[in-house]
Amino acid sequence: MITEGKDELRIRLVAIFREEAAEHLATITAEMAALETETDAQAVHAGVDRLFRTAHTLKGAARSV
């Protein structure tokens, strides 16, 4: 009864997390690929910042689930 509701909620949360994680991982992959060829120090710094923010967001979502 109550367990069924919790299980359904967990299943929905995991499904949402999987979608979000896929988006975050795609962003991380794209940022890393861009950094491989970037030569401008300011652009590299901005890219690394975006990587850290995305990884931090992914970590927080994983912790929540």
Side-chain angles (χ1 to χ4, degrees):
M1 297 183 214
I2 292 176
T3 303
E4 288 177 18
K6 287 182 180 180
D7 287 343
E8 288 175 23
L9 176 61
R10 184 181 59 79
I11 289 168
R12 281 188 284 170
L13 288 174
V14 169
I16 292 168
F17 171 73
R18 283 184 177 161
E19 287 180 36
E20 287 182 10
E23 291 173 14
H24 292 309
L25 291 172
T27 299
I28 289 169
T29 301
E31 286 293 341
M32 292 189 75
L35 285 173
E36 287 181 341
T37 58
E38 186 58 64
T39 58
D40 179 60
Q42 195 171 27
V44 169
H45 184 16
V48 170
D49 282 347
R50 285 189 298 273
L51 277 171
F52 276 112
R53 277 195 307 275
T54 304
H56 181 74
T57 301
L58 178 59
K59 180 185 78 166
R63 174 114 167 75
S64 294
V65 172

